[in-house]
Amino acid sequence: MITVERLCKSFGSLAAVDDVSFSVNEGEIFGLLGPNGAGKTTSINMICGVLKPDGGRVVIGNKDIWLEPKAVKRTLGVVPQEIAVYEDLTARDNLNFWGSLYGLSGGDLKSRVDESLTTVGLTDRAGDRVKEFSGGMKRRLNLCMGLLHHPRVLLLDEPTIGIDPQARLNILEVVREVADGGTTVLYTTHYMEEAQELCDRIAIMDHGKILTVGTLDELTRLAGEAEVLRLTGDFDDPSIRDRLLALDGVRVLKVDDRIAVLSVEAGGPGLLEVLPRVLAADLGVEDVSIQQPNLQSVFISLTGKELRD
Amino acid sequence: MAGLDILRRDLLRYWRNPIRTALLFAMPLVIAGVFALAFGGGGGDQISIKILLFDEDDSLLSRFLEGAGGSSQRDQKLEVVPVGEEGYEMMERGEASALIHLPQGFTTDFLDGTPTTIGVVKNPSERFLPKIVDEGARIGAVGLSEASRVFRAELAQIGDFTREEKFPADLAVAGLSSGVNNKLKGLERFLFPPVVTLESVSLRSEGGEEEDSDFNILAYVLPGFSVMGILFLAQSATRDILRDRESGLLRQLLTAPVSVNDYVGGKCLSVFAVTALGFALFVIIGLAAGIRWGPAPAVVALMLASALAAAGLLILIMSLVGSERQGDTLTTIVIIVSSMLGGAFMPVSQMPAFLTPISAATPVYWSTEGFAKLIIHGGGLGDIVLNLAVLSIVGAALMLIGALILKRKIERGAL
């Protein structure tokens, strides 16, 4: 449904997006996961036809967005990272305006507006001015604007930033429902939990490049890991690092002055053997936590840094 | 169609924000109202200057001056009330614009050539009307002084006549007449024809009959302030372009099936429509206040041309700035300066001559001048063709340039 081929965009000497390619199947929820500044928003801006790429192309439903922008945009729903609503208008005014841009009018527009407001739970506040809404309500209205015209493809750019857990759950639930209805979803986030819970496939992005693409299982297998050990202690002595690296059955994903992250190699001796060795190595470990392999560890194994960095 | 959707949305935003919208209209109306009140009138009332005349002299000359102040049509606008000492108390109570005091012996001193004084007491609570009286009295004093110098001998002779108990001899009167005549002949070159002539034109009624129309000060000040008002309306409407960018709404709009051309065209249409509707509201308020704007087709045409010029000017400026704050500062300066230079605050004819070409470079000038032709001089559509042409062509050109710059900036991602 979405094909992105060799997309590039630079701002001066900074390559914000560098040779990015991926494809999203119809009805799939595809996640673009990466830290802030990874190039996710720049990619979305090019995919939805707002920012012209320096190179590459974007095909949505067999049409190139830069060759047939209006035709493609009619099939797209976009929910931006920043809340983009007219605060001095009511929720219904906003939706009426937005619907009219997609050619909806009369009874059709009214029924779509009512339906969308019900979907995001804002029916009771339809006549209130948006400036009186909480951040979460504004986010839900913004999502509503993206869904109003029943798009075939929904692009969501970090739609849960800065909202309370309840509103976040509501948004994720709506996204699942939309995808269940056959809409293709491209979802960018830097919250790995969201990507894990929501996405059928995930692309991990950093410094403008796609590092890897796959399902959650594929990605964790790709990293070749079993459990992940997260050690807290005083690791600024280079000799401690050497001893960490010399341990059998583990792979050092990351080490800095206070934190060391080790993965227990799949097919190796296993956690029960490795953990006593680590503790006996006199590394000055103050605390240990054990995690199942997840996107965080995959990201660390790919980049040497944690996602929140 | 997206352009019309954007227009509808913008108008709805004004409707949903009645206080903000009212404030936009309030400023020019308040300033115009303050000007009207400062002149002692408002609505359809005419200007009336009330002068108290404290004539201690009670002589031929003082009665002549008193009569000159209250004659014929002027008594509709100038009321001269003879008073005694109580006149000063009346001034304390602010019951008149000014008091003129002719001291005892004024005529005798004048005829004898002895320096004398006309006293003027002004009402400090009024700003302009006492000035008019002051200037009038000053001109009168200069005229009397010059007459005293030129006709010194003749005035002395008249003084002698008034002091004599018997009627003057025919020969003496003939000599006086001959002397005055000779001096007037010497002055003929300066006095006939006069160097300066005054032509007074009255507004015509709808039936075409000339009438002595009431003078409505709002008719002089409201058009200028309305033009300034629509510039501020255009500022508010164009500011949304930068707000759309800064709030992310522009980016969001461009994800819809809306091209950059649709957006920029829609915003231009919206700014023009808001400005024109604003002007229409000012015209309606003026009508309610008793202003006769002139023939409807001419007023509508001038209103639309003025709105186009205002919208074009503001769109161009906003297209050149980088942020809302920058745009606000620059446009406010441009609006105030061009309003002052263009004649919104005072007629261009009252400004120094070197400012005239600068005034003519502002749309405010062409708009206020056009309305002056319609309101003050009773002109019609044919009289404002040049004004319409300048405002429309310049307005359209500015809007086009501004729109192209905006389009370019949006496409480059700079906006």
Side-chain angles (χ1 to χ4, degrees), chain B residues 135-405:
Chain B
E135 288 300 319
R138 203 176 294 278
I139 291 166
V142 170
L144 289 172
S145 300
E146 292 308 311
S148 173
R149 285 195 187 93
V150 174
F151 298 105
R152 179 69 271 125
E154 289 74 15
L155 288 172
Q157 201 175 351
I158 292 169
D160 291 341
F161 288 166
T162 58
R163 280 188 284 273
E164 286 174 6
E165 294 204 348
K166 57 177 182 178
F167 200 77
D170 290 347
L171 191 60
V173 173
L176 174 65
S177 172
S178 171
V180 170
N181 196 35
N182 284 338
K183 286 192 175 167
L184 283 175
K185 274 188 176 172
L187 294 170
E188 191 174 30
R189 180 161 77 86
F190 302 103
L191 295 175
F192 309 107
V195 176
V196 179
T197 58
L198 176 67
E199 185 181 309
S200 177
V201 179
S202 298
L203 293 174
R204 288 178 183 278
S205 65
E206 281 183 11
E209 288 176 17
E210 194 165 315
E211 62 180 13
D212 183 26
S213 170
D214 281 355
F215 178 84
N216 185 345
I217 190 64
L218 272 175
Y220 284 81
V221 297
L222 189 59
F225 287 118
S226 297
V227 178
M228 186 179 77
I230 61 161
L231 284 168
F232 277 111
L233 272 175
Q235 180 196 39
S236 158
T238 48
R239 187 188 288 135
D240 279 349
I241 298 171
L242 298 170
R243 280 201 183 151
D244 279 355
R245 191 272 304 259
E246 287 170 16
S247 66
L249 277 159
L250 173 58
R251 176 184 169 276
Q252 179 75 348
L253 274 173
L254 295 177
T255 66
V258 176
S259 68
V260 176
N261 283 340
D262 290 338
Y263 175 75
V264 174
K267 285 309 293 185
C268 288
L269 177 68
S270 168
V271 175
F272 169 68
V274 166
T275 312
L277 286 173
F279 211 141
L281 194 56
F282 283 124
V283 169
I284 290 167
I285 290 168
L287 284 172
I291 294 176
R292 287 187 283 269
W293 290 88
V299 174
V300 171
L302 190 54
M303 203 176 75
L304 292 176
S306 303
L308 181 62
L313 178 66
L314 269 295
I315 284 173
L316 177 64
I317 297 171
M318 285 297 188
S319 74
L320 297 172
V321 299
S323 68
E324 188 186 335
R325 181 182 284 189
Q326 225 176 51
D328 272 353
T329 308
L330 187 60
T331 50
T332 302
I333 291 169
V334 169
I335 290 170
I336 299 288
V337 171
S338 67
S339 297
M340 291 176 85
L341 287 174
F345 289 79
M346 67 163 84
V348 174
S349 57
Q350 302 291 311
M351 297 180 193
F354 74 92
L355 285 178
T356 308
I358 303 172
S359 300
T362 65
V364 181
Y365 168 81
W366 292 99
S367 185
T368 52
E369 207 230 4
F371 279 109
K373 283 176 183 169
L374 297 179
I375 298 170
I376 313 294
H377 305 295
L381 196 57
D383 299 302
I384 56 167
V385 170
L386 180 63
N387 301 69
L388 292 176
V390 170
L391 289 168
S392 305
I393 293 168
V394 170
L398 294 178
M399 189 178 279
L400 182 65
I401 296 167
L404 289 173
I405 295 171

Side-chain angles (χ1 to χ4, degrees), chain A residues 41 44-45 48-50 70 73-74 78 80-86 88-90 93 97-98 100-102 129 131 142 145 157, chain B residues 2 5-6 8-10 12-13 16-18 20 244 247-249 251-259 262-263 410-413:
Chain A
T41 298
I44 286 278
N45 283 345
C48 68
V50 169
K70 283 200 176 178
K73 285 177 180 181
R74 279 197 189 90
V78 181
Q81 193 176 121
E82 63 277 349
I83 295 169
V85 290
Y86 291 97
D88 45 6
L89 295 181
T90 66
D93 290 338
F97 167 63
W98 209 250
S100 68
L101 293 178
Y102 287 89
R129 287 204 286 178
K131 68 169 67 168
N142 225 170
M145 287 158 65
D157 187 11
Chain B
D5 292 327
I6 290 170
R8 199 178 308 128
R9 177 210 62 188
D10 284 354
L12 187 61
R13 292 178 69 198
R16 294 278 187 224
N17 290 277
R20 193 189 78 164
D244 279 355
S247 66
L249 277 159
R251 176 184 169 276
Q252 179 75 348
L253 274 173
L254 295 177
T255 66
V258 176
S259 68
D262 290 338
Y263 175 75
I410 291 170
E411 284 173 346
R412 280 199 346 236

Side-chain angles (χ1 to χ4, degrees), chain B residues 56-62 103-116 148 152 155-160 162-163:
Chain B
E56 281 191 300
D57 192 42
D58 194 26
S59 66
L60 188 68
L61 180 59
S62 66
Q104 200 165 23
F106 173 76
T107 304
T108 312
D109 288 344
F110 175 71
L111 293 175
D112 291 346
T114 307
T116 186
S148 173
R152 179 69 271 125
L155 288 172
Q157 201 175 351
I158 292 169
D160 291 341
T162 58
R163 280 188 284 273

